[in-house]
Amino acid sequence: NAGVTQTPKFRILKIGQSMTLQCTQDMNHNYMYWYRQDPGMGLKLIYYSVGAGITDKGEVPNGYNVSRSTTEDFPLRLELAAPSQTSVYFCASSKGLAAEGTDTQYFGPGTRLTVL
Amino acid sequence: AQTVTQSQPEMSVQEAETVTLSCTYDTSESDYYLFWYKQPPSRQMILVIRQEAYKQQNATENRFSVNFQKAAKSFSLKISDSQLGDAAMYFCAYRSGNTGKLIFGQGTTLQVKP
């Protein structure tokens, strides 16, 4: 059971380039999330999904796109990268919302992205 | 909109002593959940403790306990018998009852001195 995996671990992009951050979970969780963490700050929600085919915006969605075609995968797409998108990106998943323990979010190890 | 505030950017504690990290939040909702997450230098986010707003009893997990003051909208974390491995950044987080979205505070960096 690998939990939540993210690739790549590190990436440097040039301004205007695009890329996809991959996220996969093997816990059969319904909910998946993308966060970004700027230096010295807390995490901010970019997008989330409550199940395959269903996604919604979080606090800071501009400049990003997501899709959820399977329960396991939740890729995050950056179009036209900008220096303001330099950050550490975390993917997370949870089983559900209701009972204790099911709403615990399990986080991946993060992707450090630098846009120059 | 809900907000979470951690007013202590940095704290330090002597090994084996007790330390309390502060967190306040603002909400008009009645159904919500509160969390403390730990982020060591490895960057891995680890759940420390969870509290349901409808429960009056404070949550406890081994050396970690919370002081949940609902009327004051305060949710502090107490770490007893501090260990070197407790050194990390700690984040307070809020979740509305009907969504999975977490709202995080700015974090408190905890240093544990041997």
Side-chain angles (χ1 to χ4, degrees):
Chain A
N1 210 352
V4 180
T5 57
Q6 292 182 237
T7 56
K9 287 187 170 54
F10 304 94
R11 184 72 185 268
I12 298 174
L13 283 182
K14 294 182 179 178
I15 295 172
Q17 287 185 320
S18 301
M19 77 164 294
T20 298
L21 280 66
Q22 301 292 345
C23 175
T24 300
Q25 54 91 9
D26 62 359
M27 297 174 282
N28 198 31
H29 283 174
N30 297 315
Y31 290 72
M32 295 188 74
Y33 315 84
W34 274 107
Y35 295 91
R36 60 176 286 173
Q37 183 180 26
D38 297 332
M41 302 295 289
L43 281 68
K44 292 192 175 181
L45 183 67
I46 305 171
Y47 271 96
Y48 69 103
S49 169
V50 301
I54 307 170
T55 63
D56 203 353
K57 296 177 181 178
E59 295 176 81
V60 289
N62 292 342
Y64 307 95
N65 279 300
V66 294
S67 59
R68 183 107 180 262
S69 57
T70 67
T71 299
E72 295 79 19
D73 301 305
F74 190 41
L76 177 71
R77 178 87 177 154
L78 277 73
E79 305 281 1
L80 299 175
S84 61
Q85 293 178 304
T86 294
S87 192
V88 179
Y89 291 83
F90 288 95
C91 180
S93 72
S94 65
K95 179 68 173 175
L97 290 184
E100 182 170 347
T102 65
D103 64 343
T104 298
Q105 291 192 18
Y106 295 86
F107 286 78
T111 294
R112 183 179 294 279
L113 175 67
T114 302
V115 182
L116 299 174
Chain B
Q2 295 79 30
T3 59
V4 177
T5 302
Q6 293 178 249
S7 59
Q8 305 155 316
E10 296 179 356
M11 293 283 286
S12 67
V13 63
Q14 209 69 33
E15 196 176 5
E17 298 294 310
T18 295
V19 64
T20 298
L21 308 184
S22 301
C23 173
T24 58
Y25 59 95
D26 189 28
T27 185
S28 59
E29 299 175 330
S30 58
D31 180 21
Y32 58 89
Y33 300 79
L34 297 165
F35 304 83
W36 278 97
Y37 276 87
K38 171 184 177 181
Q39 187 180 44
S42 66
R43 284 201 323 238
Q44 185 70 41
M45 293 289 287
I46 303 164
L47 178 66
V48 175
I49 202 162
R50 174 184 182 276
Q51 174 80 44
E52 296 95 329
Y54 63 84
K55 285 189 177 179
Q56 293 186 339
Q57 187 174 6
N58 290 326
T60 300
E61 286 288 344
N62 300 316
R63 297 182 296 106
F64 299 88
S65 61
V66 298
N67 184 4
F68 175 45
Q69 301 289 327
K70 191 171 183 178
K73 295 179 183 174
S74 171
F75 183 61
S76 60
L77 175 70
K78 185 170 85 171
I79 306 174
S80 304
D81 185 25
S82 297
Q83 300 175 359
L84 295 177
D86 294 334
M89 182 166 275
Y90 286 81
F91 292 99
C92 179
Y94 172 102
R95 177 174 81 74
S96 296
N98 61 353
T99 82
K101 296 186 283 187
L102 285 177
I103 299 170
F104 286 86
Q106 306 93 317
T108 297
T109 300
L110 177 65
Q111 181 186 23
V112 181
K113 297 178 181 177

